[in-house]
Amino acid sequence: MNVSGLLTSAGINIAVCTVLSSLYSVLRKQPSNLKVYFGQRLAQVQSKCHGPSFFERFVPSPSWIIKAWQTSEEDLFAVGGLDAAVFSRVVIFSIRILSVAAVICIFLVLPVNYFGQSMHHKKLQLESLEVFTIGNIVERSKWMWVHCLALYVISCCACVLLYIENKNITKMRLAYISGSPQNLGRFTVLVRAIPWSGKSYSDSVTQFFTNYYSSSYISHQIVYLPGTVRKLVHDAEKMYNILKAPRMSKHCGSSIVKCGLCGVTGKSFRFLSEKSVTSEEKDDFGDDFRKMECPAALVFFRTRYAALVAAQTLQSTNPMLWVTEMAPEPEDVFWANLCVPYRLLWVRRLGTLIATLAFLIFFLVPVSIVQGLVHLDKLKHFSFVRKLSEKRNWIFDLVTGYLPSAMLTLFIFCVPPLMMIFSAIEGPVARSLRKKSACLKVLYFLIWNVFFANILSGSVLQRFDRISSLKDIPLQLAKGIPSMAVFFMTYILTSGWTSLALELMQPISLLLHWLDKCLFRGKNVLSCESQTFPYHTELPRVLLFGLLGFTSSITAPLLLPFLLVYFFFAYLVYRNQFMNVYVTKYDTGGLYWPIAHTAIIVSLMLMQVILLGVFGLKKSAVASSFTIPLIICTFLFHLYCRQRFLPVFKRTVARVIMDMDDQDEHSGKFEEYHEQLQSSAYCQFKSISKRSSTMDNCENGTVEVINERLRSSYCSFKSTTLESPLASQREQSYNGGHDRLQDPEDTKPVNQFSLSPNRFVPQSPVNQFSPSPNRFVPQSPVNQYRPSPNRFVPQSPGPEIKESKPDTH
């Protein structure tokens, strides 16, 4: 491909990005689109703000760029959590290292490549792009030391910057752990593969932890089969609908319409079935619960350190029984996977591994088709291709320049959803772990199919028969990187720049929002309430472009300006999305950083191996001999970082946990945390309909039946008011209350966490998990149903309950 083909692709993508960005700056000002572009702000804004005027709403403006640029890391940390800060750090690291590489390679390496051999250079628009790569250097050139020097400078700068990032992010993770004392998952241990005791799994857990952890064990919550959850909720709500009906009056009152001798109305007679309060039915309820139990439970401990010791200790001589691990946060629990038998997890993981490998192999077909379009001029045996290549018009430039990268980008759109399905089948117990596993799969897929497969295949008809063994792969990479530089440039334009513009626009969410608004009158049938950031899609893309930057910085320096524009644009776009669009529901605590660190090291060492192969092809013995020690030193640096920083991300620091326990013990917050754990922290059953806030008219006998029905679940049905303290305000904003909240652009969001120098201090009320009034537990007296170690039992025996028969007059 020549320069004109690259300019054609660049012009198309620049025009698309400009149009989409301008359209975004207009659509975000429309009050009807607040739900799409300001989901995060609507969840947290608390003050009135005035929207733009009618004229300003339809004029493109760069105000969102200014807001994103002014956003500090503390604001991003407070709103998006540690994962958002880690993602931003990866982008900033890429900008720094690629800026260093651009300065060195553009002003030092690129002139050497261009004048690498004596030849007659054409005009710039007709020049082949291969003259700007290292492939234009003649063999045994004395200028190869320039490439070796640039390799040393980039590698040393990358290691220094990477060490600084490791050190800073490790401190941030420790501050995040110590600054989030209300994370109830640190008091909770997930126990799986519970053996059957002959009665129930709940009795087995009670007996085991009472015997071996009597001083620290509080209670537990058994996990039920996911298919029976809806049935349990339906039965309980059906009983509640009966209970909330008006009771039959014992004394007849006056009424216009009389029904008999007593003089009361017909509606006064509402009979409650005696079967609903019989002891036989209570026994049936208990049997139903025992049949629905899974061999898994959430066990609550008095201190974080006790839970940590129990989670990391082998509980039985049989490692397949009583398997323990730290439980995820309440909002992060993936309830459907808690019931997966532990002995079948390895089968699921093996099956998903095989399916992933099969998909990787199958995807080589569209990659080969794409490479056939890139090397269209080599398919001379087709007459129409020969005629098209001879003309060299704009159609040929479009087919070879823009179309291949656009097709590959469209093919890759189906990869992240499929990898999310594979990751869910693996059986992770947390939603964040599912997304982290999908992130790894997508990253492996992109590195193999976008980088290695495109280089090693080259075209449909070439390169596959030239690789006879693994030792030929470095040589093929050394030959393929310069020739594939143009394709990677167009791929950066299409999958990088245009994808960022689409991320701003949110076309799918916008379309679903308008369809929901037009067809279903804003009932959220198609659109969703809030979105979480797609780390499994965006982080692999950023790391892939970092890999392209490392491997092409010296061999093809023209890629660096395109990559720098992408990362600067990504810096602004992602900050805008974190602050305005995406809502953080759960956080891994920075566990994406080890993935990013390993990908950066692999990219750095791959660059060195490719340069070693290039030096070997150019027969430069001196440059090759200097490259080998650099590869060894980089690998040793990686081992040191794994020993120094990685354990903090794999395991919890006991010293930090013990300090937090001491502080909470002195402040007296343990009792509050224990009540939250046993009442409403972890709730597998969610309400499917609205309920009344009180149960004052319930018969005492039937209340006992419902409590018996709920004792094993350890939680009342979750109220909708617990999902967000500003749920009503968001609902009002969505349903047309835009006169009070037109454009939250200029409003400072209320941070979830206030970032102090050493820790996060939650600003929300301490009792954010306290039960709301509309519970299935009577509110008066308050201590009537205080939880005991294993179930809800009244503290004092109540009055004797006598079955009341209908009073017939």
Side-chain angles (χ1 to χ4, degrees), residues 254-288:
S254 61
S255 176
I256 299 176
V257 181
K258 309 299 180 179
C259 67
L261 297 177
C262 61
V264 298
T265 61
K267 294 183 179 180
S268 300
F269 292 95
R270 288 296 299 269
F271 295 95
L272 291 178
S273 176
E274 296 183 6
K275 182 180 178 182
S276 60
V277 294
T278 59
S279 60
E280 291 82 1
E281 185 68 16
K282 298 177 185 179
D283 296 336
D284 292 339
F285 289 159
D287 294 337
D288 291 341

Side-chain angles (χ1 to χ4, degrees), residues 467-486:
I467 301 176
S468 58
S469 61
L470 293 176
K471 66 180 181 181
D472 296 334
I473 293 181
L475 297 178
Q476 294 297 331
L477 290 176
K479 294 178 182 179
I481 286 288
S483 62
M484 292 297 299
V486 180

Side-chain angles (χ1 to χ4, degrees), residues 358-413:
F359 184 68
L360 289 178
I361 297 173
F362 172 77
F363 206 83
L364 290 177
V365 175
V367 170
S368 300
I369 296 174
V370 168
Q371 286 304 310
L373 295 176
V374 174
H375 300 276
L376 193 62
D377 53 349
K378 297 181 180 179
L379 304 177
K380 299 293 185 179
H381 54 281
F382 295 106
S383 59
F384 70 94
V385 175
R386 184 169 57 253
K387 294 179 181 179
L388 189 62
S389 61
E390 290 175 356
K391 294 182 179 180
R392 288 281 179 174
N393 53 9
W394 64 273
I395 298 178
F396 184 84
D397 295 336
L398 180 65
V399 172
T400 59
Y402 177 75
L403 188 59
S405 58
M407 289 180 59
L408 185 60
T409 303
L410 291 176
F411 288 145
I412 292 177
F413 277 160

Side-chain angles (χ1 to χ4, degrees), residues 78 179 339 401 448 494 528 636 681 708 772:
C339 292
W448 168 249
T494 305
C528 56
L636 293 176
E708 181 69 24
S772 59

Side-chain angles (χ1 to χ4, degrees), residues 202-313:
S202 180
D203 295 337
S204 299
V205 175
T206 303
Q207 182 179 1
F208 182 86
F209 285 94
T210 302
N211 292 337
Y212 298 104
Y213 295 92
S214 57
S215 59
S216 57
Y217 166 71
I218 301 179
S219 63
H220 73 273
Q221 174 181 325
I222 206 70
V223 179
Y224 294 94
L225 294 173
T228 61
V229 172
R230 180 170 293 274
K231 182 178 181 299
L232 291 173
V233 176
H234 181 269
D235 292 346
E237 290 188 349
K238 184 177 180 181
M239 296 172 62
Y240 175 72
N241 291 331
I242 297 175
L243 293 175
K244 72 177 182 180
R247 291 187 303 175
M248 183 194 59
S249 177
K250 294 183 179 180
H251 302 284
C252 301
S254 61
S255 176
I256 299 176
V257 181
K258 309 299 180 179
C259 67
L261 297 177
C262 61
V264 298
T265 61
K267 294 183 179 180
S268 300
F269 292 95
R270 288 296 299 269
F271 295 95
L272 291 178
S273 176
E274 296 183 6
K275 182 180 178 182
S276 60
V277 294
T278 59
S279 60
E280 291 82 1
E281 185 68 16
K282 298 177 185 179
D283 296 336
D284 292 339
F285 289 159
D287 294 337
D288 291 341
F289 267 102
R290 284 190 287 270
K291 294 177 182 178
M292 297 172 184
E293 290 179 352
C294 289
L298 296 168
V299 182
F300 308 130
F301 289 84
R302 299 187 182 279
T303 62
R304 302 177 182 88
Y305 182 73
L308 180 64
V309 172
Q312 297 183 357
T313 305

Side-chain angles (χ1 to χ4, degrees), residues 347-360:
V347 179
R348 285 175 169 245
R349 292 167 183 169
L350 181 60
T352 54
L353 177 60
I354 295 174
T356 304
L357 293 177
F359 184 68
L360 289 178

Side-chain angles (χ1 to χ4, degrees), residues 495-702:
S495 181
W497 295 12
T498 307
S499 296
L500 288 176
L502 291 174
E503 171 64 27
L504 273 177
M505 276 289 299
Q506 297 286 317
I508 298 178
S509 300
L510 185 64
L511 178 62
L512 294 178
H513 170 67
W514 278 101
L515 288 176
D516 183 66
K517 190 172 183 179
C518 297
L519 298 179
F520 301 99
R521 298 182 180 180
K523 295 182 180 180
N524 297 329
V525 177
L526 298 177
S527 59
C528 56
E529 284 285 338
S530 59
Q531 304 178 67
T532 57
F533 187 79
Y535 290 101
H536 64 291
T537 302
E538 305 305 321
L539 184 60
R541 182 183 290 120
V542 169
L543 295 177
L544 173 67
F545 288 147
L547 172 67
L548 295 179
F550 275 111
T551 54
S552 304
S553 58
I554 299 176
T555 58
L558 281 181
L559 256 73
L560 294 177
F562 297 94
L563 285 171
L564 278 176
V565 172
Y566 165 77
F567 280 110
F568 275 115
F569 193 25
Y571 176 81
L572 298 174
V573 168
Y574 289 129
R575 283 181 173 249
N576 176 78
Q577 300 301 90
F578 276 120
M579 298 299 297
N580 295 325
V581 178
Y582 296 109
V583 177
T584 303
K585 297 180 180 179
Y586 45 80
D587 197 284
T588 65
L591 294 183
Y592 289 105
W593 175 247
I595 300 176
H597 170 83
T598 305
I600 293 171
I601 290 293
V602 170
S603 304
L604 187 59
M605 295 186 66
L606 189 59
M607 175 186 68
Q608 297 165 358
V609 171
I610 291 174
L611 264 296
L612 179 63
V614 172
F615 294 152
L617 290 175
K618 300 299 180 180
K619 298 180 180 180
S620 177
V622 177
S624 299
S625 60
F626 274 95
T627 306
I628 296 176
L630 185 61
I631 297 175
I632 298 175
C633 292
T634 305
F635 182 70
L636 293 176
F637 170 76
H638 173 59
L639 294 181
Y640 170 76
C641 290
R642 286 180 61 87
Q643 297 294 326
R644 170 62 179 84
F645 302 108
L646 187 60
V648 179
F649 294 89
K650 281 189 172 183
R651 291 173 291 180
T652 306
V653 183
R655 177 180 176 182
V656 176
I657 294 298
M658 295 175 71
D659 292 341
M660 295 173 64
D661 288 339
D662 292 339
Q663 294 177 3
D664 290 339
E665 186 178 1
H666 292 314
S667 61
K669 293 184 178 180
F670 270 152
E671 295 182 359
E672 179 182 346
Y673 295 153
H674 297 165
E675 291 180 0
Q676 295 173 11
L677 284 170
Q678 298 175 96
S679 59
S680 61
Y682 289 90
C683 186
Q684 186 178 2
F685 307 99
K686 292 187 178 181
S687 176
I688 57 176
S689 65
K690 294 183 179 180
R691 291 170 295 269
S692 176
S693 59
T694 59
M695 296 175 62
D696 297 334
N697 296 328
C698 296
E699 291 285 347
N700 292 334
T702 319

